[in-house]
Amino acid sequence: MQGRIHSFQSLGTVDGPGVRAVVFMQGCPLRCACCHNPDTWDMQGGREVTTREIFDKIYRLRSYFGTEGGVTASGGEPLMQPEFLAELFELCKNAGIGCAIDTSGCVYNAKVERLLDLCDIVILDYKYTDNEQYEKYVGMKKSAADRFLDELEALKKRTWIRQVIIPDINDSEESVRRLYSLRDRYTCIEKIELLPFRKLCLEKYHSMGISFPLEDTPEASAELMERLGLCALKS
């Protein structure tokens, strides 16, 4: 089967447990204000590849993965190409390679469910704890992410939650407490991570001739992240 990818990273250490190959899928229906990869939005962008071509690249790296590593499909939004990824993950699983996706959880259907069945772990970018912020800064309803999390719970799928902390938007202790309270309702959540907002993508936006919505927003300081981290420990 053919699909479209943006890029391939050989050995990543921040996209799930262990050392992982990372396939950045092409295409995303969302327009997150803090997105670092606007060049992945176009559904027809990137380059066309086959599942066998990508599997062969992953397989050559298998000696680095150890017991926890494997492959992570990120994006873009991997849920836009669930059939391609399901075929790729079947090849990987048959070779003993662990599989993960990093997703916004923006859609759920039978094809996505089949893909999730092949995932060992799901990294869910739970972007805000407030629906108004979800609609304003992402372009989707918070209920879609909640529904996706409900399905992960039903599937008993190992789940990591990630949220980018953006000053003056979702950097309050109240917001962080609401995020960590998800553990009270979802036993599938194994880990929650707070990530600092950065603006390393500015040059990319400028080169593409589009504006970065948060260009005037300060980056998240180490002090802010430490304070919120302590708040999380108390949650």
Side-chain angles (χ1 to χ4, degrees):
M1 184 178 290
Q2 293 184 322
R4 305 195 77 85
I5 72 165
H6 172 266
S7 55
F8 182 91
Q9 181 181 353
S10 296
L11 301 173
T13 57
V14 295
D15 298 280
V19 175
R20 311 188 72 84
V22 186
V23 185
F24 292 92
M25 304 301 294
Q26 184 69 30
C28 183
L30 306 180
R31 293 297 179 266
C32 298
C34 64
C35 179
H36 271 208
N37 298 307
D39 44 347
T40 66
W41 293 346
D42 183 3
M43 300 288 185
Q44 300 304 315
R47 64 186 180 91
E48 196 169 66
V49 296
T50 65
T51 51
R52 175 58 64 174
E53 177 185 348
I54 297 301
F55 170 73
D56 287 346
K57 292 169 71 73
I58 296 167
Y59 189 76
R60 287 195 292 269
L61 299 168
R62 68 193 185 283
S63 62
Y64 296 97
F65 296 155
T67 56
E68 276 288 285
V71 57
T72 298
S74 186
E77 174 50 71
L79 299 185
M80 294 297 98
Q81 300 184 67
E83 293 172 297
F84 174 85
L85 282 176
E87 184 171 289
L88 174 64
F89 282 6
E90 282 185 343
L91 292 171
C92 291
K93 298 287 282 187
N94 289 337
I97 297 171
C99 301
I101 60 170
D102 183 349
T103 176
S104 68
C106 61
V107 62
Y108 193 88
N109 53 39
K111 293 176 181 178
V112 169
E113 184 171 350
R114 176 170 175 258
L115 172 61
L116 290 178
D117 284 339
L118 294 163
C119 292
D120 300 292
I121 187 167
V122 174
I123 302 169
L124 178 61
D125 299 318
Y126 197 91
K127 299 174 185 294
Y128 301 97
T129 58
D130 177 83
N131 184 62
E132 184 178 341
Q133 290 180 332
Y134 244 106
E135 293 189 354
K136 180 178 180 179
Y137 296 112
V138 180
M140 68 180 270
K141 292 184 181 296
K142 177 177 169 291
S143 58
D146 288 331
R147 189 268 170 100
F148 196 85
L149 189 50
D150 287 341
E151 298 294 347
L152 295 177
E153 178 74 4
L155 293 169
K156 295 180 169 54
K157 192 64 60 176
R158 287 179 66 192
T159 302
W160 287 12
I161 298 290
R162 284 181 172 174
Q163 188 173 103
V164 176
I165 298 300
I166 307 171
D168 302 322
I169 295 180
N170 65 340
D171 63 340
S172 70
E173 292 186 7
E174 178 186 0
S175 177
V176 169
R177 281 192 290 269
R178 286 199 301 267
L179 179 68
Y180 275 77
S181 72
L182 291 173
R183 295 178 301 183
D184 298 332
R185 306 197 304 275
Y186 297 99
T187 61
C188 66
I189 295 177
E190 180 178 291
K191 182 178 182 179
I192 297 179
E193 291 183 303
L194 304 180
L195 307 177
F197 169 66
R198 294 287 181 258
K199 295 191 286 187
L200 300 173
C201 57
L202 271 178
E203 185 176 341
K204 187 181 294 186
Y205 275 84
H206 293 163
S207 67
M208 293 177 65
I210 56 179
S211 61
F212 181 47
L214 301 181
E215 184 163 355
D216 297 327
T217 300
E219 294 188 338
S221 66
E223 293 76 16
L224 171 63
M225 299 306 297
E226 181 179 4
R227 177 169 59 82
L228 294 181
L230 290 173
C231 173
L233 287 175
K234 298 175 183 177
S235 299

